[in-house]
Amino acid sequence: MDPPDARAGHCIENFQSKNVSILQELDRSTPPFDIANWTQDEGGRGRACAFSSPSATCILEKAAVNISMMHGDLPLSSIQKTAVEHPSVRYSTDISSNVPFFAAGISLIIHPRNPNVPSAHANYRYFEIVRPGTSTSEMPQAWWFGGVTDLTPSYFFEDDFWHFHRTLKEACDPFGSAQNPAFKQNCGECFFLKYRGIGGLRFDDLCEEPHSLLKDVSASSRPQTAEEILDFVRSLGDTKEMPLYPHTSRSYLIGLAQGGPRR
């Protein structure tokens, strides 16, 4: 089996390829994504996929699906802070050097042309701290997943709200009933803007250790191992029901059906 960092990296790369394909399939008149691969001398690489269309006949005005995978050294101040939430992270005043880390993430932003169709955002990430003197091919000292997905309509329509939250709930439910309400509430508390947005899901520091948002949840009722949590994140990222309503008419989505009913 591949090490955790490799599995997380493969998952994030697959997320990007799949979501770019979904968005291009949604509207085949959309211009191709501009793809830019990049590397960082300190250790890391990524791929930016984005486009902006001036055409009034395209469903999407702007979209971006970007990924990054980074290696580096975590400064002692960050190790001390991280150790508070992760007992597996070893910190003491005797530590005299930085600790290696690996991080991988994906960020997705979608802006439809029609203001009646909500904008969507999501990002998912994996972070691990490597045991000093070992490589990333071995089990890390500490690891966790985090992510957020939320919807921001310009105009509120109740069917958007129910469709979006129902889809997220269906992605969470196979992994236990506690995650959806806990992470939904966390998103609302962290990203609350009065009269804007309808929330979504937000979680961080999700690993095999007890989680602050799932205090009363047994280990058997939540994803626990690295593989189970990766499957949970993959379920959220693999959601096929995009919040853009592919079944809605194309002319409506690009705003040509002026003055007509929304659905």
Side-chain angles (χ1 to χ4, degrees):
M1 180 181 292
D2 290 334
D5 65 318
R7 298 203 301 276
H10 293 157
C11 180
I12 283 170
E13 289 182 303
N14 288 337
F15 279 0
Q16 184 184 46
S17 297
K18 181 173 292 187
N19 279 288
V20 167
S21 296
I22 288 173
L23 293 173
Q24 290 185 321
E25 185 68 22
L26 177 68
D27 183 8
R28 297 185 180 182
S29 68
T30 295
F33 276 77
D34 291 326
I35 300 176
N37 294 299
W38 55 267
T39 59
Q40 182 171 287
D41 293 340
E42 292 80 2
R45 63 184 178 88
R47 181 184 302 116
C49 298
F51 80 83
S52 176
S53 174
S55 173
T57 61
C58 289
I59 292 174
L60 301 179
E61 182 178 17
K62 297 179 180 180
V65 188
N66 301 328
I67 64 172
S68 62
M69 284 161 277
M70 308 294 296
H71 294 271
D73 291 322
L74 204 62
L76 297 181
S77 58
S78 296
I79 299 172
Q80 182 179 17
K81 182 179 179 180
T82 303
V84 174
E85 296 180 342
H86 297 276
S88 59
V89 177
R90 305 289 185 262
Y91 173 80
S92 73
T93 55
D94 296 331
I95 298 177
S96 58
S97 62
N98 297 342
V99 174
F101 76 88
F102 170 79
I106 180 169
S107 176
L108 180 149
I109 303 172
I110 305 170
H111 289 288
R113 184 169 301 280
N114 188 334
N116 286 310
V117 183
S119 296
H121 158 260
N123 73 70
Y124 298 103
R125 56 197 175 274
Y126 171 77
F127 191 91
E128 72 176 33
I129 295 176
V130 182
R131 298 179 189 277
T134 65
S135 69
T136 55
S137 63
E138 301 178 52
M139 193 63 191
Q141 177 187 154
W143 57 268
W144 58 89
F145 288 87
V148 59
T149 180
D150 59 284
L151 203 65
T152 303
S154 296
Y155 301 99
F156 181 80
F157 294 95
E158 191 171 352
D159 54 353
D160 289 347
F161 177 93
W162 291 114
H163 174 83
F164 181 65
H165 287 288
R166 182 175 62 250
T167 301
L168 291 178
K169 183 178 184 300
E170 290 171 353
C172 290
D173 282 352
F175 301 89
S177 60
Q179 282 72 241
N180 183 259
F183 298 159
K184 180 179 177 182
Q185 180 178 346
N186 185 241
C187 183
E189 292 173 350
C190 291
F191 295 102
F192 176 75
L193 292 173
K194 194 173 184 180
Y195 306 125
R196 178 188 167 198
I198 60 172
L201 293 181
R202 178 187 180 273
F203 61 94
D204 203 2
D205 303 313
L206 189 60
C207 60
E208 81 278 15
E209 299 168 5
H211 195 278
S212 60
L213 299 179
L214 304 171
K215 292 179 180 178
D216 300 323
V217 179
S218 65
S220 61
S221 300
R222 51 153 289 191
Q224 186 81 11
T225 66
E227 201 62 37
E228 290 170 347
I229 295 174
L230 181 59
D231 285 342
F232 170 69
V233 175
R234 186 182 289 115
S235 177
L236 295 174
D238 282 351
T239 297
K240 296 180 177 60
E241 284 290 329
M242 298 293 289
L244 300 178
Y245 296 98
H247 55 273
T248 306
S249 69
R250 184 175 187 280
S251 62
Y252 176 81
L253 284 172
I254 61 177
L256 298 180
Q258 299 291 336
R262 184 170 189 278
R263 296 292 296 275

